Amino acid sequence: MSQVESIDVARLRWFVAVAEELHFARAAKALGIARQRLSRTVIDLEDELGTKLFVPGAQPTQLTDEGRELLAAAREVIARAEAAAARPEPEAAGTGLRVGFVPGVTVSKWERIWGERFPEIPLETVPLAAAEQLTALREGRVDMCFVRLPIDREGLSAIPLYREVPVVVVPKDHPISLFSEVGAAELADERLQDASDLDAAAVVLEMVAAGVGLAIVPHSIARLHARRDLVYRTVTDHPDTEIALAWPAAETTELVEEFVGVVRGRSERSSRSPSTPTEQQTKRSTAKKPASQQKSAGKSASTARSSGARKSGKRRGR
């Protein structure tokens, strides 16, 4: 930083006013300050820089060579300061929520509910490859992510949401297409493509369509890459997969809690606690039912049992 840049911008503006007016009284009036204060500021500035900015005793006021150099430099500093002040401030971090999701997960329902419930808080949904789900969370590229389990949960909070049944994808004219579901026995003689990399599912299903084997994938993946020349059937004895909502445990903010509530289906007015106030009041009310009401209920139940017994006896007699 140069010596000029270290000077307070307000003091530079006062100096520029005098340098342009070449008259202390007029400059002070334009700035709305006392002439003595302006003169004192210029003297202090000269002492700080170790040079004279105005020719001593000159009438009218004249700038020295050093004063002209300072005037040019001061104008540049003031212009940069005004340009910086005119730039809009960046949005504060943390005012929205970034939620990632892997292939096969549909987030439109939760987006809609969030938009209705929190219209002033932006929700950004970020599609991610399955291979990037953990990295995106660890690196902070997303605040939360719909992931496909299993993942390394160290340092993460994860809420399992639902399980997906596996399906086998076959050509439309394949014999298996005649079944509604199949087991391992029906697939024993079939060539199965390696479909473990769900990010490459489109390529794998292209090979299935070409007649190069079959593929077992989660139901949502088959639906995501649906084609007219392929069909899929449930596999009854193949491991299913699980979708969960995960986020860094240390970053459990209020917005994160609110989104968890949306995904779990909590109503807008419900509490985050396991038991809502209404439920708690109902339990207390039941527990503290007056003895007279409990006796009455007991008599009613006894009468109903007696009546039922008599009716039952009559049916057996017939």
Side-chain angles (χ1 to χ4, degrees):
M1 178 184 293
S2 68
Q3 190 175 15
V4 176
E5 290 175 324
S6 66
I7 300 172
D8 181 68
V9 174
R11 295 169 66 202
L12 289 177
R13 283 197 176 99
W14 290 9
F15 162 74
V16 169
V18 179
E20 291 178 343
E21 287 284 350
L22 292 177
H23 196 286
F24 277 83
R26 288 199 298 267
K29 184 176 181 180
L31 292 170
I33 60 175
R35 183 188 184 285
Q36 292 79 5
R37 186 181 179 189
L38 181 57
S39 297
R40 181 73 260 171
T41 298
V42 171
I43 293 172
D44 290 343
L45 194 56
E46 289 179 329
D47 291 342
E48 183 178 332
L49 297 174
T51 186
K52 290 295 182 180
L53 302 175
F54 296 94
V55 177
Q59 292 294 333
T61 304
Q62 297 179 24
L63 284 166
T64 62
D65 291 341
E66 291 81 3
R68 281 188 285 272
E69 291 178 5
L70 178 61
L71 177 59
R75 283 170 172 165
E76 291 182 5
V77 173
I78 293 170
R80 288 199 297 270
E82 291 176 346
R87 286 196 296 267
E89 293 186 5
E91 292 184 9
T95 56
L97 196 63
R98 299 163 301 162
V99 179
F101 62 97
V102 295
V105 176
T106 303
V107 296
S108 54
K109 171 186 175 182
W110 298 311
E111 279 186 294
R112 176 181 55 79
I113 296 174
W114 182 272
E116 294 171 352
R117 199 169 292 183
F118 307 104
E120 302 301 322
I121 303 176
L123 175 66
E124 179 186 0
T125 52
V126 184
L128 295 170
E132 296 181 357
Q133 59 182 12
L134 187 58
T135 304
L137 282 170
R138 300 285 193 209
E139 295 180 351
R141 284 155 40 197
V142 293
D143 302 306
M144 310 178 77
C145 188
F146 290 97
V147 300
R148 195 176 295 275
L149 299 179
I151 60 170
D152 177 9
R153 298 197 189 188
E154 183 179 358
L156 297 179
S157 293
I159 301 174
L161 300 176
Y162 59 88
R163 306 190 77 89
E164 279 196 82
V165 297
V167 298
V168 60
V169 183
V170 304
K172 194 172 183 179
D173 57 355
H174 194 282
I176 286 179
S177 65
L178 301 176
F179 298 88
S180 60
E181 57 183 32
V182 295
E186 286 81 11
L187 300 174
D189 297 330
E190 299 289 345
R191 177 183 176 182
L192 294 177
Q193 294 287 338
D194 180 6
S196 57
D197 182 3
L198 298 182
D199 297 325
V203 176
V204 173
L205 297 190
E206 183 69 39
M207 296 176 68
V208 172
V212 189
L214 313 182
I216 298 177
V217 297
H219 178 261
S220 65
I221 298 297
R223 191 175 57 209
L224 178 65
H225 299 289
R227 302 169 47 129
R228 291 184 178 181
D229 53 352
L230 296 177
V231 296
Y232 50 87
R233 298 292 181 258
T234 301
V235 182
T236 58
D237 48 5
H238 190 82
D240 56 11
T241 58
E242 190 168 18
I243 299 296
L245 178 61
W247 68 93
E251 302 297 331
T252 307
T253 63
E254 184 176 348
L255 286 185
V256 167
E257 289 282 8
E258 292 289 4
F259 190 76
V260 170
V262 167
V263 172
R264 281 185 157 176
R266 297 195 195 107
S267 65
E268 188 170 359
R269 297 181 179 179
S270 66
S271 167
R272 293 198 191 104
S273 61
S275 177
T276 64
T278 302
E279 292 170 339
Q280 294 170 354
Q281 291 168 6
T282 302
K283 291 176 182 177
R284 287 196 295 267
S285 176
T286 302
K288 296 180 180 180
K289 184 181 290 184
S292 60
Q293 292 184 22
Q294 293 178 4
K295 289 181 180 179
S296 176
K299 289 180 180 179
S300 298
S302 177
T303 301
R305 284 195 297 272
S306 299
S307 175
R310 286 196 296 272
K311 291 179 181 178
S312 178
K314 289 180 181 178
R315 287 196 294 270
R316 286 196 297 271
R318 292 178 185 172

